[in-house]
Amino acid sequence: MLQTVSEWLWWERLWLPVNVSWSDLEDSEGRIYAKGSHLFSALPCALCMLLVRYLFERYLATPLADVWGIKDRLRLTVEPSPLLENYFCNQAKAPSQADVRSLCKKTSWSERRIQVWFRRRRNQDRPGLRKRFCEASWRCMFYMFAFIYGVVALYDKPWLYDLREVWAGFPKQSMLPSQYWYYILEMGFYVSLLLSLSFDVKRKDFKEQVIHHTATLTLLSFSWISNYIRIGTLVMAVHDCSDILLEGAKVFNYATWHRTANGMFVVFTVVFMVSRIIIFPFWLIHCTWVYPLDHYPPFFGYYFFNVMLMVLQLLHIYWAFLISRMVYKFIFSTLDGDDRSDEEEEDSDPPSDKRQSHLNGSGIRGRANGH
């Protein structure tokens, strides 16, 4: 059975054009071709990425946060309540109004006191400002390194300037060492992001992030095995150029360098719209839909690769909507951080509950620390 599955999985018509077989892509005469077994290197690379990230955040980003005076907001602790804790962990983190009234009867607390308890409890599970700063610093550093590496690897390649050269001699295109390391580094990074999603800062577009990372890894894996390496490197470079600016804007925003952050955000918006809404669909996707037909008839891999690119483009449109909304706030009101972030809620008691707060031990000093 396993042999049958393997035969279907590596059926040549899934991965290669008509009249091309795996034997045609055997290494010979100094030409080296991409192989599926190379992709196993992405897992140890991902583990190394996690280690490098840990060292970077601890010994570079954290001291930098100290220099810039980035501190976590002091949070008010919740009153001990096994009943509310059980509800929070097992039922809902944000109870409905009907549930609040029901909990009031069981605890003899006021509705306001119940609501404040849940706000504070939710804030306890949210990452602090320093964690957000360290994560953004790590991503900014990686995207900058990856983009610079991509430019160095691509600047002298003819397919960077003439997209028809992407398919010249396809699929018998020898793999270059720079392409190998570019792929392995990018795949290792995205695998590390998937492995760390559970303890990274959770954003409102968490599901979209999972879809994006999965689609990216699927695209990279398929393009590697099918020798779509040239177009794959171009796709990676187009994505990395705007991500540097986004993460950099976050870093300076957390450091309260607001003018610098706002300037970087404006530049990021322009670069994102140009690279992901114009260049990606009208140059790169056009390159993968139209130009290959001049060299070979469509096969499964042709359709699969283009469908996955369209999935990425749909995510780009979704994020363009979020960015446009942030630009609107930036121009007409106030931009407070990242619209995708699960922001902290105000956890201090309202004036009407001052007496209750004092009895609960939070008092004026506690409210001041909460801010």
Side-chain angles (χ1 to χ4, degrees):
M1 181 178 178
L2 292 176
Q3 183 178 359
T4 303
V5 172
S6 178
E7 290 175 356
W8 275 97
L9 179 62
W10 297 106
W11 184 36
E12 292 169 342
R13 296 290 71 79
L14 290 178
W15 304 92
L16 302 173
V18 178
N19 299 326
V20 178
S21 65
W22 295 118
S23 60
D24 295 324
L25 300 180
E26 292 291 335
D27 298 345
S28 61
E29 300 177 357
R31 298 175 64 88
I32 301 175
Y33 297 99
K35 299 177 179 61
S37 58
H38 293 156
L39 298 179
F40 290 116
S41 302
L43 183 56
C45 181
L47 298 178
C48 290
M49 286 279 185
L50 292 175
L51 176 60
V52 172
R53 172 181 172 176
Y54 170 78
L55 297 174
F56 174 86
E57 292 185 359
R58 179 165 184 175
Y59 295 106
L60 290 178
T62 298
L64 184 59
D66 293 333
V67 171
W68 281 349
I70 300 174
K71 299 179 180 179
D72 290 333
R73 172 178 173 178
L74 296 177
R75 296 167 177 170
L76 298 174
T77 58
V78 298
E79 306 170 66
S81 176
L83 188 146
L84 295 182
E85 183 67 25
N86 180 67
Y87 181 95
F88 181 88
C89 295
N90 299 318
Q91 297 188 47
K93 296 184 178 182
S96 64
Q97 190 60 36
D99 289 338
V100 169
R101 288 193 291 266
S102 173
L103 291 171
C104 288
K105 295 177 181 179
K106 296 178 181 179
T107 59
S108 300
W109 288 10
S110 67
E111 289 188 14
R112 179 62 65 184
R113 189 175 173 186
I114 295 287
Q115 292 167 346
V116 169
W117 189 96
F118 274 95
R119 284 201 297 271
R120 292 179 183 173
R121 183 64 181 84
R122 287 193 294 270
N123 282 339
Q124 286 183 5
D125 288 348
R126 291 188 171 100
L129 187 62
R130 289 169 68 90
K131 180 175 175 59
R132 294 167 188 251
F133 173 82
C134 290
E135 284 189 16
S137 299
W138 161 248
R139 288 194 297 266
C140 182
M141 187 276 294
F142 175 82
Y143 288 132
M144 182 180 300
F145 174 82
F147 180 69
I148 293 173
Y149 184 88
V151 170
V152 172
L154 288 169
Y155 82 97
D156 60 344
K157 305 301 185 295
W159 54 85
L160 177 63
Y161 309 99
D162 181 4
L163 291 179
R164 292 186 181 275
E165 289 294 323
V166 167
W167 308 106
F170 178 85
K172 299 178 182 180
Q173 298 171 338
S174 181
M175 176 188 66
L176 303 175
S178 60
Q179 294 172 328
Y180 172 83
W181 288 111
Y182 195 15
Y183 259 77
I184 295 303
L185 286 173
E186 290 276 355
M187 291 192 69
F189 177 71
Y190 281 105
V191 171
S192 72
L193 289 184
L194 283 177
L195 295 176
S196 63
L197 273 175
S198 59
F199 56 85
D200 281 347
V201 175
K202 191 171 183 179
R203 305 186 184 281
K204 296 175 183 177
D205 62 347
F206 176 81
K207 294 181 180 178
E208 289 79 6
Q209 287 284 334
V210 174
I211 294 173
H212 175 269
H213 299 340
T214 304
T216 300
L217 287 170
T218 303
L219 264 174
L220 292 177
S221 301
F222 181 85
S223 63
W224 182 263
I225 296 173
S226 294
N227 218 15
Y228 277 41
I229 297 177
R230 292 182 180 180
I231 189 64
T233 54
L234 294 176
V235 169
M236 289 188 289
V238 165
H239 280 72
D240 289 340
C241 65
S242 60
D243 288 335
I244 302 170
L245 297 166
L246 175 61
E247 301 302 335
K250 292 180 186 178
V251 168
F252 287 112
N253 186 57
Y254 296 144
T256 66
W257 292 29
H258 296 307
R259 289 186 178 179
T260 303
N262 292 342
M264 290 191 71
F265 180 72
V266 171
V267 177
F268 157 74
T269 301
V270 174
V271 173
F272 182 93
M273 296 301 177
V274 171
S275 63
R276 310 252 187 130
I277 306 301
I278 298 177
I279 293 178
F280 185 74
F282 296 108
W283 268 265
L284 299 188
I285 294 183
H286 179 267
C287 173
T288 61
W289 271 113
V290 177
Y291 297 157
L293 301 181
D294 296 335
H295 301 272
Y296 58 83
F299 64 107
F300 173 81
Y302 166 84
Y303 294 112
F304 179 81
F305 187 76
N306 282 287
V307 167
M308 294 303 295
L309 289 180
M310 292 303 299
V311 170
L312 283 183
Q313 184 57 31
L314 291 175
L315 290 171
H316 295 164
I317 294 172
Y318 169 77
W319 281 315
F321 167 75
L322 292 183
I323 293 168
S324 300
R325 189 169 65 179
M326 293 174 71
V327 170
Y328 178 86
K329 291 181 180 180
F330 176 72
I331 296 175
F332 297 103
S333 56
T334 302
L335 179 62
D336 296 319
D338 185 356
D339 259 13
R340 301 179 303 152
S341 298
D342 187 11
E343 299 291 349
E344 263 187 64
E345 301 170 84
E346 181 57 58
D347 63 358
S348 59
D349 293 336
S352 60
D353 273 7
K354 281 185 180 179
R355 182 179 62 85
Q356 185 68 57
S357 271
H358 178 70
L359 294 176
N360 293 339
S362 39
I364 297 175
R365 184 175 63 177
R367 289 196 300 275
N369 290 339
H371 287 284

